[in-house]
Amino acid sequence: MTETPSSSTISTKLERVAKLARQAPGLAFTTLAHHLDLEWLREAHRRTRKDGAVGVDGQRAEDYARDLEANLRSLLDRAKSGTYRAPPVRRVHIPKGSDPTRTRPLGIPTFEDKVLQSAVMMLLEAIYEQDFLDCSYGFRPGRSAHQALKAVDDTLWAMGGGWVLEIDIERFFDALGVEHLRAMLRQRVRDGVILRLIDKWLHAGVFEAGAVTHPDAGTPQGGVISPLLANVYLHEVLDRWFHEQVVPRLRGRAHLIRYADDAVLVFSDEQDVGGQENPPKFDPLGRRRVGDDPRGGGGVESGLVAHG
């Protein structure tokens, strides 16, 4: 993506938001939508992938760009006035892992919806990047799956070996508790325009097999803003919980490394995860089964492996 002169202006504004979020970790932002102007939407359009699959309206990036200024003006007016209607995402199923019988659903928004999601995500990312813990690596700027794997390796080397518990939250994006996510967001964001847009995306519906459905839970996997919303949720129910509630109760050292809805927990003491004759101090399938949590989330798949 080629930067434009306005890119540096937007970056300066984002840094101001980030600085305020960093200096005031308990602050709830009540005025954010004033940042959304034509210049902001142009930058959001610049950052939006132009080669992605089309949404329910069939519009391609080049179609939208033919009358870009008018389209962005219309989008801005609708977003600010509250008349923007989030279109349903087009659901497709793609293979999951190496098992050809397993698939995961992917929701494809329209191109215009991607632009607006990108514009809002830029604001939210500036705030939440100041809150997220170092243990989180998925869908964050400057972080990658390779860094997460290296963190696991470095942790095991530093411990001289240990016990590794691997966790995969099944159907997390489909089962995420929307009401609880909304409450989590309001701890940091109370701008009505921004919250209304997020609500519209959460309730936009799914187009599949010629029909539109409106699930009661979840955020469509594939949306531009969905990974950030998932990180906000898991930051509260997994990352903070593990560090603040679990680690102080353990006999030995423990570390969490998370990439989106997959996590690896490394323990130095076998008793903390349940030895042959000792009840575990940490048991994701019992004391912390996400699927049994009223806040939502899918069931937990886990496996325990000794390293060292």
Side-chain angles (χ1 to χ4, degrees):
M1 294 182 295
T2 303
E3 290 197 356
T4 65
S6 64
S7 298
S8 59
T9 303
I10 301 299
S11 295
T12 300
K13 292 179 180 179
L14 287 172
E15 180 50 41
R16 288 175 187 158
V17 174
K19 183 179 180 181
L20 183 55
R22 191 163 52 246
Q23 293 176 339
L27 174 68
F29 287 78
T30 58
T31 56
L32 287 170
H34 66 279
H35 290 292
L36 297 180
D37 55 19
L38 269 179
E39 186 178 45
W40 195 280
L41 287 185
R42 290 188 195 105
E43 177 64 13
H45 174 267
R46 186 188 71 84
R47 297 186 183 195
T48 302
R49 281 185 57 182
K50 310 301 189 295
D51 58 348
V54 299
V56 294
D57 62 355
Q59 188 177 51
R60 298 169 300 173
E62 53 266 37
D63 300 329
Y64 195 80
R66 289 195 184 103
D67 199 2
L68 182 60
E69 286 298 302
N71 286 333
L72 293 181
R73 283 185 184 278
S74 171
L75 178 60
L76 180 63
D77 290 343
R78 284 175 283 140
K80 289 287 190 75
S81 67
T83 60
Y84 180 76
R85 297 183 62 181
V89 297
R90 182 171 67 86
R91 174 171 284 176
V92 297
H93 293 266
I94 63 174
K96 181 178 181 179
S98 57
D99 185 350
T101 65
R102 299 185 68 185
T103 64
R104 64 183 178 95
L106 194 66
I108 303 172
T110 64
F111 182 78
E112 180 176 70
D113 201 46
K114 291 177 185 178
V115 173
L116 188 55
Q117 287 191 35
S118 179
V120 173
M121 187 191 70
M122 288 157 56
L123 279 171
L124 297 184
E125 194 172 72
I127 297 169
Y128 283 104
E129 275 300 309
Q130 318 314 311
D131 296 349
F132 291 156
L133 304 184
D134 285 342
C135 65
S136 168
Y137 289 86
F139 304 106
R140 294 181 59 190
R143 295 193 159 219
S144 67
H146 291 293
Q147 291 174 332
L149 292 172
K150 186 177 185 300
V152 174
D153 191 52
D154 291 346
T155 300
L156 285 166
W157 274 104
M159 283 185 176
W163 291 83
V164 176
L165 185 66
E166 300 178 49
I167 298 176
D168 176 20
I169 306 174
E170 286 191 313
R171 297 179 56 252
F172 170 74
F173 283 87
D174 293 333
L176 182 148
V178 170
E179 291 300 323
H180 293 284
L181 172 61
R182 185 182 291 112
M184 293 171 190
L185 288 168
R186 286 186 62 83
Q187 294 176 19
R188 278 303 235 166
V189 178
R190 293 184 187 169
D191 183 294
V193 172
I194 301 301
L195 291 177
R196 279 195 300 271
L197 285 171
I198 294 173
D199 275 347
K200 290 180 179 184
W201 287 319
L202 292 174
H203 296 97
V206 175
F207 179 81
E208 185 176 20
V212 176
T213 58
H214 292 84
D216 295 328
T219 176
Q221 191 171 1
V224 175
I225 203 170
S226 296
L228 177 61
L229 297 180
N231 272 334
V232 170
Y233 193 92
L234 288 170
H235 168 73
E236 293 292 336
V237 303
L238 182 56
D239 302 352
R240 286 189 57 195
W241 168 78
F242 181 78
H243 287 92
E244 296 173 10
Q245 302 296 324
V246 175
V247 171
R249 304 202 315 264
L250 302 179
R251 289 165 51 99
R253 290 177 291 164
H255 294 272
L256 164 69
I257 298 97
R258 180 175 65 80
Y259 190 91
D261 54 345
D262 295 312
V264 170
L265 308 173
V266 183
F267 300 87
S268 64
D269 194 313
E270 181 183 3
Q271 291 188 31
D272 286 332
V273 287
Q276 293 291 327
E277 300 176 356
N278 300 287
K281 289 186 172 61
F282 173 75
D283 183 3
L285 298 179
R287 300 185 184 187
R288 191 63 172 184
R289 183 176 176 84
V290 180
D292 297 333
D293 194 314
R295 287 171 290 193
V300 176
E301 288 185 350
S302 70
L304 182 63
V305 181
H307 285 260

